[in-house]
Amino acid sequence: MGSTRLPRKILREFYKGRTLLETVIDNLKKVEGTKIIVATSVNPNNDELVSFLQERDIAVYRGSENDVLSRFIGAAEENEVDGIVRICSDNPFLDWHGVASLVEKAHSSDADYIGYRINNTPSIKTHFGFWGEYVTLNALKHVAETTADQQAHEHVTIHVYTHPENYKCEWIECPEYLQGRDDIRLTVDNAEDFDNARTVYAALEETNPDFGLEDVMKYLDSNVELLESMKKMITNNKK
């Protein structure tokens, strides 16, 4: 809720009365057996968010504002979860099929971390906003116990996937039709991102409620002004 670039962004109305957060959660509910936990902080500015979630019977955990790693560990322990699919709450175009694939792969793997990769880069470090990542609770606990590095505690999984010598990491390559693309930004960080995402979502939802990533790409390729706006945002917000 305390986003400096777009305050209260996840509770802003995104599409037909639904907030940005509800859009993400409704998408996740399409994954069979999903247990959704919103991990937020103890900062009082999140009181409104907690009330919003409790009114809708959505599980919520409150932890450290700055030590997000400890927040994830606490959320997992409180809910007796040993494998976590981390989803960013500001990604309304999250591919739920990709989440289902992460879960399926995790069930048959002993990996500490499973992520999507595009253009030889972990998708979590890109601006697409399409994919999640899987990590085990044990891996996160090990990071917490072995490093005090601020980045590791703020970005949750970065220490795991950048230290493959210590953790077993597996990768899923993103769809071939997206490889090589670096001009799509549908994660929401600021007002222009929000407006772009809402425009794309409304156009696709009204013609095909079951739209997928390929539909998103085709729509953007036919709307050059949106791509130009996204390119500008990507240049100004390098990860």
Side-chain angles (χ1 to χ4, degrees):
M1 293 291 283
S3 168
T4 55
R5 297 186 182 186
L6 190 61
R8 297 185 72 259
K9 64 179 176 181
I10 60 172
L11 290 191
R12 290 179 180 239
E13 183 178 333
F14 186 72
Y15 180 72
K16 289 190 174 180
R18 285 186 300 170
T19 63
L20 181 63
L21 180 59
E22 286 174 296
T23 303
V24 176
I25 289 174
D26 287 349
N27 208 12
L28 283 172
K29 286 179 178 177
K30 296 175 184 177
V31 181
E32 186 178 353
T34 301
K35 179 171 185 171
I36 299 169
I37 305 159
V38 178
T40 189
S41 83
V42 294
N43 191 314
N45 64 13
N46 288 310
D47 291 350
E48 179 188 0
L49 170 62
V50 172
S51 297
F52 179 89
L53 294 167
Q54 289 174 338
E55 288 169 3
R56 290 157 178 78
D57 293 322
I58 298 169
V60 59
Y61 174 86
R62 302 186 79 164
S64 170
E65 171 84 0
N66 299 313
D67 191 342
V68 189
L69 175 64
S70 74
R71 192 195 310 170
F72 268 70
I73 292 171
E77 290 181 329
E78 183 175 277
N79 290 276
E80 299 181 336
V81 172
D82 56 15
I84 302 157
V85 177
R86 180 184 177 217
I87 303 297
C88 295
S89 61
D90 51 11
N91 287 347
F93 289 87
L94 173 76
D95 178 27
W96 71 267
H97 298 284
V99 175
S101 294
L102 274 178
V103 173
E104 183 179 1
K105 190 172 179 65
H107 279 312
S108 60
S109 172
D110 61 351
D112 298 301
Y113 177 91
I114 306 171
Y116 281 86
R117 185 165 54 192
I118 184 165
N119 303 329
N120 295 316
T121 301
S123 68
I124 193 66
K125 299 184 73 175
T126 71
H127 302 263
F128 290 87
F130 293 154
W131 302 286
E133 54 180 354
Y134 167 84
V135 67
T136 64
L137 175 59
N138 284 339
L140 295 186
K141 283 183 173 180
H142 188 262
V143 173
E145 293 165 359
T146 57
T147 180
D149 178 66
Q150 183 178 352
Q151 189 179 49
H153 286 257
E154 181 180 353
H155 295 287
V156 185
T157 59
I158 192 169
H159 188 82
V160 178
Y161 66 74
T162 57
H163 290 79
E165 69 279 9
N166 297 327
Y167 303 94
K168 183 176 180 181
C169 300
E170 296 181 358
W171 297 97
I172 302 172
E173 291 298 329
C174 293
E176 187 62 34
Y177 57 80
L178 281 169
Q179 296 288 352
R181 300 292 297 255
D182 60 0
D183 55 350
I184 297 174
R185 176 181 167 91
L186 283 167
T187 191
V188 175
D189 190 45
N190 56 46
E192 189 165 345
D193 291 335
F194 189 90
D195 290 342
N196 286 341
R198 188 161 52 177
T199 296
V200 177
Y201 193 93
L204 291 171
E205 184 79 9
E206 287 166 11
T207 56
N208 176 18
D210 295 319
F211 69 84
L213 298 187
E214 200 161 4
D215 298 308
V216 174
M217 186 189 71
K218 289 177 179 177
Y219 178 81
L220 289 174
D221 283 342
S222 64
N223 289 271
V224 178
E225 72 285 354
L226 281 169
L227 278 179
E228 288 303 317
S229 174
M230 290 178 185
K231 288 177 185 176
K232 183 181 73 174
M233 289 298 101
I234 290 170
T235 299
N236 294 339
N237 296 274
K238 290 293 185 183
K239 289 198 175 186

